[in-house]
Amino acid sequence: MGIEMLTPSQTACKMTAAHISEGRVKAMQATAGVGLVQGPAHGVTLSDLDGNTYIDCRSAGGVFNLGHTRAQIAEVLAKAVQDTDMGDWMLLSGIRAITAKKLASLAPEGLDHVQFGVTGSEAVEVACKLARGTTGREKLVAMTNAYHGFSGFALATAPEDLIAPYGPLTPGIVAIPHGDLAAAESMIDDETAAVLLETVQGSGGVVLPPEGYLAGLRALCDRHGALLIFDEVQAGLGRTGKLFSFEHWGVVPDMVVIGKALGGGYYPISACLYSARVLDFVNVRPLAHPSTFSGSELGCMVAQKALDLLSDPALLANVEAMGARLARGYGTLQAAFPDFVLGHRQIGLFTGLDTPDAETGKALRHAAVRAGLIAFTAPFQPQVLQIWPPLVITKDEIDELLLRLTHAVREAADSFNDTNTQTRANGT
Ligand SMILES: Cc1ncc(COP(=O)(O)O)c(C=O)c1O
């Protein structure tokens, strides 16, 4: 019997199948076309365990807005661990207070208080819980095509096929079609605690709010005494060219949820910023969200530095400039492959490339990985390729990304044309 020679990636896949789940490995293979196993990562580049390098166009949904293994964050963390640790959530914390003050000073007026969490889902739980506590109402209005996480309230807002095995879910949550103000008008009423939405839908394929939509929701919430909650776990912290994406539309929510990039790529931390109205409830129930690792000392130290870097005007200007450069490249691609690239949706470096259907989306995402891009299709809109590189990406890196993308589109389009020609030749 021959000796089985496996690459490091194959070995990791085998171990994953044996000790995590075979389904997990198969899911990765279906997503990427290969069992992609992450290795060293720096800046916008990520390697697999076999030494292949990729431009990261996922940024783990925004975790790596500042690039991978960002030195300034690593330095802060290395220094912080000398003097402190997780801290005790029950005790007051100066580091936590300074971080909350920094967040409040960066957010628009009115969002002056903070409850920290560890994950984005947890911060969504905080927001929904505080909405019910503040209003004494049960009904939460969410959107179709949305993702807010996979726990409690958040899970109950997810699309049907995702939640099917887990019922019964948290009651009192209704979903309305995203972007439809008439539907919102008929659903939001005096029994509504809050309206929850991603300011820009990410997993739904980079869907921007139609003109006037956010202002319309704000007005409806005000009319009925409901709270408006924006989920900026993906759209926030610089991704769109502003620190908070809702700043593009000049509408301020009662609560905003952030996560991912807040940890600088190194340390899990999330937050829910809230208004004075919510504060009244929190003052009565100051321990409304006891959570052991929320607002940890180390997480807050990292978040302070991450916020300094993410709010740097030079970084936000880079997002705009690199977004424009990417858009020009998309235009060229669309002109060259009009049947394959139908268009794109974009704000800053939050971009989605439209292909005709799920099959072409799959072909493109597999070709993209082969071409050296980690770019996957949107979970709820599998015809849309998401391209969300770290915000530190340079001109040369954008050009390289576009070169690889062009290569991938050509390969995927050719394979589709070949298949269609073959099908016609076979008369099938
Ligand atoms: C918009 C949005 N909200 C919430 C979450 C949940 O965040 P986490 O996975 O950190 O719990 C995500 C995760 O991708 C998200 O995209």
Side-chain angles (χ1 to χ4, degrees):
M1 215 164 62
I3 297 169
E4 195 183 15
M5 293 293 287
L6 298 179
T7 67
S9 286
Q10 286 168 334
T11 304
C13 284
K14 205 172 163 191
M15 270 195 298
T16 305
H19 299 292
I20 295 178
S21 94
E22 197 177 355
R24 182 72 177 82
V25 176
K26 284 186 176 155
M28 185 75 266
Q29 271 160 347
T31 300
V34 290
L36 197 56
V37 184
Q38 56 197 316
H42 299 284
V44 303
T45 306
L46 194 149
S47 303
D48 67 19
L49 285 188
D50 301 336
N52 303 303
T53 62
Y54 305 85
I55 295 177
D56 184 2
C57 297
R58 259 182 52 72
S59 303
V63 172
F64 301 109
N65 279 3
L66 291 170
H68 288 273
T69 51
R70 180 71 180 257
Q72 288 112 309
I73 304 283
E75 280 160 20
V76 165
L77 186 58
K79 195 159 175 298
V81 296
Q82 306 292 320
D83 298 322
T84 189
D85 47 26
M86 301 293 296
D88 182 341
W89 73 273
M90 176 62 100
L91 304 183
L92 300 181
S93 154
I95 294 172
R96 199 182 301 143
I98 291 169
T99 315
K101 181 177 177 204
K102 189 180 277 283
L103 264 174
S105 72
L106 290 169
E109 214 182 309
L111 293 166
D112 295 332
H113 295 83
V114 184
Q115 167 67 54
F116 289 102
V118 178
T119 64
S121 317
E122 184 184 357
V124 170
E125 298 305 303
V126 169
C128 293
K129 204 162 49 174
L130 294 183
R132 282 194 173 168
T134 299
T135 60
R137 303 173 183 179
E138 183 182 313
K139 183 172 167 185
L140 293 163
V141 177
M143 303 289 153
T144 54
N145 200 42
Y147 184 72
H148 298 289
F150 235 48
S151 61
F153 288 107
L155 179 63
T157 69
E160 279 291 316
D161 58 326
L162 285 187
I163 61 182
Y166 310 120
L169 301 171
T170 310
I173 297 174
V174 290
I176 55 172
H178 176 261
D180 182 343
L181 205 50
E185 187 143 19
S186 65
M187 189 57 79
I188 299 168
D189 56 23
D190 290 351
E191 285 167 14
T192 304
V195 177
L196 166 68
L197 74 159
E198 292 165 87
T199 325
V200 178
Q201 291 191 323
S203 302
V206 190
V207 183
L208 276 70
E211 206 45 53
Y213 187 58
L214 298 182
L217 290 179
R218 178 73 274 176
L220 284 169
C221 286
D222 290 345
R223 190 190 308 161
H224 293 287
L227 297 163
L228 184 60
I229 306 169
F230 288 160
D231 179 342
E232 298 238 338
V233 169
Q234 285 184 335
L237 300 182
R239 172 67 41 199
T240 67
K242 293 196 185 288
L243 190 64
F244 295 94
S245 81
F246 61 78
E247 295 174 88
H248 287 283
W249 292 278
V251 174
V252 180
D254 300 284
M255 286 187 261
V256 62
V257 171
I258 53 174
K260 294 200 190 263
L262 190 60
Y266 272 100
Y267 209 92
I269 181 164
S270 62
C272 171
L273 280 69
Y274 57 88
S275 65
R277 185 173 163 209
V278 179
L279 177 66
D280 288 342
F281 172 73
V282 177
N283 278 335
V284 177
R285 295 255 182 180
L287 297 184
H289 190 73
S291 169
T292 303
F293 300 125
S294 65
S296 66
E297 301 288 276
L298 291 177
C300 283
M301 293 292 283
V302 163
Q304 285 175 29
K305 187 67 187 176
L307 286 168
D308 287 343
L309 297 171
L310 289 163
S311 61
D312 180 352
L315 179 78
L316 299 174
N318 191 60
V319 173
E320 207 167 305
M322 294 307 106
R325 198 171 182 90
L326 206 46
R328 284 195 292 278
Y330 289 160
T332 307
L333 261 180
Q334 194 183 346
F337 301 93
D339 297 333
F340 202 86
V341 177
L342 304 184
H344 71 278
R345 269 152 304 98
Q346 168 169 20
I347 180 164
L349 284 170
F350 209 14
T351 78
L353 207 61
D354 289 322
T355 72
D357 53 37
E359 276 305 301
T360 45
K362 178 178 164 195
L364 180 54
R365 110 184 153 235
H366 288 184
V369 172
R370 282 194 293 275
L373 299 176
I374 296 180
F376 296 160
T377 44
F380 309 150
Q381 300 295 334
Q383 79 285 7
V384 179
L385 192 75
Q386 300 169 316
I387 300 186
W388 310 347
L391 311 184
V392 293
I393 195 164
T394 64
K395 235 160 47 157
D396 288 349
E397 288 164 341
I398 287 281
D399 292 347
E400 179 62 28
L401 187 165
L402 285 166
L403 205 69
R404 294 183 190 192
L405 184 61
T406 306
H407 187 81
V409 169
R410 182 174 297 119
E411 189 201 307
D414 283 353
S415 77
F416 255 76
N417 289 339
D418 287 351
T419 310
N420 289 343
T421 310
Q422 193 68 39
T423 306
R424 275 199 299 276
N426 292 342
T428 52

